[in-house]
Amino acid sequence: MTGTKFCKSCGTTGSPSASFCRECGAALTEEPSVDQSASNAKEQVNGGIVLYQQGDYPGALSKFEKAIEADPTLAAAWSDKGCALGRLGKRDAALEAFNKALEIDRDNREAREGKDLCLRMVNSSQEAS
Ligand SMILES: [Zn+2]
């Protein structure tokens, strides 16, 4: 896996020993494996958002969990997971997910708003605490 090179110009992959693209002659760069998993995570998040908007919250949740598996540092995946959990009535787990999102990115607006919403729901169902 490591050492594989690819062409930024046309996307052709080359052997580790190659310096130039055999298709277009552009200089080859090392394949960014980290970026690949990050883009996969974003794909999962986008797929989850589509399901979420269709009202398929369990389906959306599993997409967000796959996104987190691919990139545990993606704050958006955590806050979206929190939203899906909130819709499923799992407020404690939702709060945990929002907290995780804020841990990664404390300026994440979605996570802040989601957390506030969760806290309000918890407070309104437990008046005397
Ligand atoms: Zn090329």
Side-chain angles (χ1 to χ4, degrees):
M1 279 289 278
T2 52
T4 305
K5 291 181 175 175
F6 87 122
C7 173
K8 272 186 191 167
S9 302
C10 68
T12 302
T13 52
S15 68
S17 57
S19 301
F20 297 97
C21 177
R22 62 187 148 83
E23 294 295 328
C24 70
L28 294 176
T29 52
E30 296 263 323
E31 193 156 11
S33 54
V34 176
D35 282 2
Q36 254 182 353
S37 73
S39 73
N40 180 46
K42 278 176 190 147
E43 260 169 47
Q44 297 288 349
V45 168
N46 289 338
I49 288 168
V50 170
L51 293 175
Y52 185 90
Q53 284 166 346
Q54 290 169 350
D56 180 3
Y57 304 123
L61 180 62
S62 81
K63 287 272 186 192
F64 297 143
E65 278 172 344
K66 273 185 194 149
I68 289 164
E69 232 170 80
D71 182 5
T73 65
L74 188 63
W78 283 104
S79 67
D80 288 337
K81 183 187 173 184
C83 292
L85 285 166
R87 289 281 186 174
L88 292 166
K90 294 173 180 170
R91 285 179 298 217
D92 289 345
L95 266 180
E96 238 173 79
F98 287 130
N99 281 334
K100 188 79 190 172
L102 290 169
E103 212 174 278
I104 297 161
D105 173 15
R106 63 197 171 90
D107 294 323
N108 189 295
R109 217 177 115 216
E110 196 180 357
R112 278 191 186 196
E113 286 171 0
K115 188 183 171 182
D116 284 348
L117 196 67
C118 273
L119 288 173
R120 273 203 296 277
M121 285 195 293
V122 171
N123 288 340
S124 64
S125 65
Q126 298 170 356
E127 284 296 303
S129 67

